Amino acid sequence: AALVNALANAKGNAKLSIIEALGDSRTKEAAVALNELRVIDLISVIKNSADSGKETVSVLTDYENVAKVTLYALARIGDPSSKGILESAAQVREYKYDNTNATANYLIYGNELLKNGNVALAIKVAEKIMANTQHDDLVTVRTGALKILVDANKANNLNLLLTAAGDKNPNYRA
């Protein structure tokens, strides 16, 4: 509770440390507090500013750092309430790897859901990623989603693996 209260007034590196500590706590209370940071707004500002050049580099770096640490903390907690934020962040970043690690954290989130026993939601996350990463430049992301699906369906994953083996992309088949 003390960390959640301290988050409201924290700035700079202190804020990043508090966010990280909340993620390490892996509690519902931490997820709720981190969900309220509106990190998706930061990611949209980062994307739009990078395109237009409106924000200074230092402001964008600060936004990226807060977004990166918050997304990682939410992913590590693996609470179902954070799905929309992590999904939106990956979508805004077009499922590509970037400085905020939005896509990587969405994959981590799917794995954490599995570890927490929320198999159905983990499968939904992986299927969403698979549906949006069919381009060849996103094969590593798609492979991460496939791993979630295979791990979620250990007893019946042969069809998933056979489908992957027949993919047009040789890197995905490997």
Side-chain angles (χ1 to χ4, degrees), residues 113-130:
L113 288 169
L114 269 182
K115 288 180 192 173
N116 295 342
N118 199 333
V119 176
L121 189 55
I123 290 171
K124 285 181 183 179
V125 165
E127 288 173 343
K128 178 78 171 187
I129 294 169
M130 294 286 283

Side-chain angles (χ1 to χ4, degrees), residues 28 31 35 74-75 77-87 105-130 144-145 148-149 151-153:
K28 174 79 171 174
N35 286 338
L74 289 171
I77 293 169
D79 189 80
S81 68
S82 302
K83 179 183 177 283
I85 292 168
L86 290 156
E87 183 177 290
N105 285 315
Y106 195 34
L107 287 166
I108 290 169
Y109 177 69
N111 282 302
E112 290 298 326
L113 288 169
L114 269 182
K115 288 180 192 173
N116 295 342
N118 199 333
V119 176
L121 189 55
I123 290 171
K124 285 181 183 179
V125 165
E127 288 173 343
K128 178 78 171 187
I129 294 169
M130 294 286 283
I148 294 169
L149 290 173
D151 289 347
N153 296 297

Side-chain angles (χ1 to χ4, degrees), residues 94-96 132-142:
E94 299 171 350
Y95 295 92
K96 296 177 182 171
N132 289 286
T133 56
Q134 294 301 310
H135 299 289
D136 287 341
D137 62 332
L138 299 174
V139 71
T140 57
V141 178
R142 194 162 32 123

Side-chain angles (χ1 to χ4, degrees), residues 31-123:
V32 169
L34 294 172
N35 286 338
E36 292 174 2
L37 286 180
R38 301 184 54 83
V39 72
I40 193 61
D41 293 343
L42 292 178
I43 290 172
S44 294
V45 168
I46 292 164
K47 183 177 185 336
N48 294 335
S49 295
D51 294 342
S52 69
K54 287 184 180 178
E55 299 288 340
T56 65
V57 172
S58 65
V59 170
L60 288 178
T61 301
D62 289 345
Y63 287 171
E64 284 179 345
N65 288 338
V66 170
K68 180 186 222 174
V69 175
T70 303
L71 292 172
Y72 180 72
L74 289 171
R76 293 280 291 148
I77 293 169
D79 189 80
S81 68
S82 302
K83 179 183 177 283
I85 292 168
L86 290 156
E87 183 177 290
S88 294
Q91 285 175 338
V92 167
R93 302 312 287 178
E94 299 171 350
Y95 295 92
K96 296 177 182 171
Y97 292 119
D98 71 329
N99 290 342
T100 65
N101 289 340
T103 299
N105 285 315
Y106 195 34
L107 287 166
I108 290 169
Y109 177 69
N111 282 302
E112 290 298 326
L113 288 169
L114 269 182
K115 288 180 192 173
N116 295 342
N118 199 333
V119 176
L121 189 55
I123 290 171

